[in-house]
Amino acid sequence: MKSFYKIVFTFGFLTTLFSCQNEDSVSLTPDRPYDEVYAEDIAEIEDFLHSHYVTVDAEYNPTFTQIPDGGTQTPIWDMPELDTIHRKKHDITYVIYYLNFREGSGENITRVDSSFVSYKGFAFNKTTTDGVDTYTQTVFDQKQSPIWLSLDEVIAGWSYVMPLFKTGTYIEMSDGSITFNDFGAGVMFLPSGLAYFSSGTLSIPSYAPLVFSFKLHNLRRRDHDQDGILSMYEYGNPLDEDRFKKDAIDTDGDGRPDYIDVDDDADGVLTKVEISFTYDDGGVTKTKYYPYHGALVDDPATPYDDTYGIPRKYTGPLNSSNRPTPLPIDFTDVNRLRRHLDNTAKPPFE
Ligand SMILES: [Ca+2]
Ligand SMILES: [Ca+2]
Ligand SMILES: [Ca+2]
Ligand SMILES: [Ca+2]
């Protein structure tokens, strides 16, 4: 059941951001109810946002500081960069607060892509002595040099917030190093139900909200089932979810979502075969795959029409062999049912 959710151990240390919630496991001590913990977490997060201000350096590294008595600093709560999203999970509509320092100028990442990120995560704790609140911040993980993380394998909060941001640009310097510019940068304030919940570690307390600052340097599109269609086109974008895998698109209803199904319409023909076509290249027959969407402009250097995406079952007139012949719209209509998802469309295709 859990094979798709990878848990990564390295000599006994859990790579922090990877999801370690196993909802199928049996625990000797029952977990606390999600709604009860969420009520505490969101109150603590909102208290933190009211009682702290934040400064960022030129590289968008934030520093959070408690507003002193009588201080005039703007609390995070009142900053225009503070925004919220709502995501349903555990039968709770979670409010997620995040700071959008910079959205990024490049490509949007999706929940099934791989992210190249740097980040810093900390937990906070409040103690009150003689009516005076004192906050401590405990950094439990940080990566100053970016690392690759697949967004379907990390804690839920990350997979919800990162797609709100974009990559930037990068240039390779003469010494081989890479400089990133205009990347997305922000901070997320996660209730524990969207992070590690009951499974704390030595450095991460159980049932504690966590704060992550992050920078999205780059991304890599993924094709989980290697059927020639990027996962970003196959999983859908469910916002109302209890489990990612359960709510992803499953065209043939066999319990295996399209992004991990090699025959999406269960017609016995592999998706990869259904989206392929052959063309003549100087007397040599070559095979290629229609891209999900066609290219915006045809490349005259290729012997085929690059503006063609994956076609639907042809609707054109019958030819002399009484078979339908395709129309351009069969390849380009934005609302078409692409033929790898149509179990009445089977090869041989004209
Ligand atoms: Ca795929
Ligand atoms: Ca399926
Ligand atoms: Ca598929
Ligand atoms: Ca098929």
Side-chain angles (χ1 to χ4, degrees), residues 222-231 234 258-261:
R222 296 182 68 198
D223 178 7
H224 289 74
D225 54 9
Q226 297 187 14
D227 63 358
I229 302 177
L230 294 178
S231 297
E234 294 210 272
D258 287 5
Y259 76 100
I260 51 170
D261 192 338

Side-chain angles (χ1 to χ4, degrees), residues 92-106:
I92 296 165
T93 300
Y94 283 96
V95 178
I96 307 173
Y97 290 94
Y98 69 100
L99 282 165
N100 184 345
F101 293 136
R102 185 171 65 189
E103 186 184 6
S105 65

Side-chain angles (χ1 to χ4, degrees), residues 261-275:
D261 192 338
V262 294
D263 177 10
D264 295 298
D265 57 1
D267 64 357
V269 184
L270 293 178
T271 291
K272 194 156 189 168
V273 173
E274 295 198 67
I275 66 166

Side-chain angles (χ1 to χ4, degrees), residues 277-289 301-305:
F277 65 98
T278 55
Y279 65 97
D280 180 76
D281 187 10
V284 181
T285 301
K286 290 191 173 169
T287 300
K288 198 173 163 63
Y289 302 98
T302 61
Y304 48 88
D305 189 338

